[in-house]
Amino acid sequence: MSNCIFCKIAAGEVPSQVVKKGDGMMAFKDLTPQAPTHVLVIPTTHVASLNDAKDASLLGKLLAFAREVALETGVATKGYRVVLNTNPDGGQTVFHLHLHVLGGRPMKWPPG
Ligand code: 5GP
Ligand code: ZN
């Protein structure tokens, strides 16, 4: 997708603070962090949203990648939250599938 910001980040055309890359996945720091650790995990190929993700194995890989990011950024033991916003009511603003990995502080429940 030529006009997708996360496709551009995946291609290295837009700079980002890369946390981890490989196996068709990429993790990079969120531009506006909502927690001390706030990393976005994306598939490097364009998928607009969870509704468009027809490949269940890709979703499994994405979630496993997020778990590795949590381990490698040091938040796994104390705890962390994985968020997947879908479409406007779900709070999605970038229409390239992504997981938020949030940690480094206690999370509140319920989310807003
Ligand atoms: P959403 O609201 O779609 O679930 O999350 C989109 C996230 O992408 C937001 O947390 C926002 O801060 C982040 N974001 C938007 N544009 C950029 C960018 O160009 N670079 C990075 N690193 N993060 C971005
Ligand atoms: Zn994209």
Side-chain angles (χ1 to χ4, degrees):
M1 278 278 284
S2 57
N3 62 347
C4 170
I5 185 73
F6 286 0
C7 280
K8 288 179 180 166
I9 286 174
E13 292 165 15
V14 167
S16 69
Q17 288 184 271
V18 180
V19 172
K20 188 178 174 71
K21 198 168 182 185
D23 200 22
M25 303 286 148
M26 181 175 175
F28 53 95
K29 291 188 180 178
D30 197 292
L31 202 57
T32 314
Q34 303 300 317
T37 297
H38 188 172
V39 176
L40 300 173
V41 181
I42 64 167
T44 54
T45 53
H46 185 81
V47 178
S49 79
L50 182 59
N51 288 342
D52 301 290
K54 307 303 179 196
D55 181 357
S57 71
L58 179 136
L59 292 172
K61 275 171 58 178
L62 192 68
L63 195 56
F65 206 84
R67 179 181 57 189
E68 287 170 18
V69 166
L71 278 166
E72 291 169 19
T73 57
V75 298
T77 301
K78 284 190 90 173
Y80 61 99
R81 181 170 290 169
V82 177
V83 173
L84 201 178
N85 297 326
T86 303
N87 278 351
D89 273 8
Q92 186 174 8
T93 58
V94 176
F95 287 83
H96 179 127
L97 179 66
H98 54 280
L99 300 178
H100 298 254
V101 178
L102 297 146
R105 65 166 171 81
M107 298 293 150
K108 296 189 176 75
W109 191 262

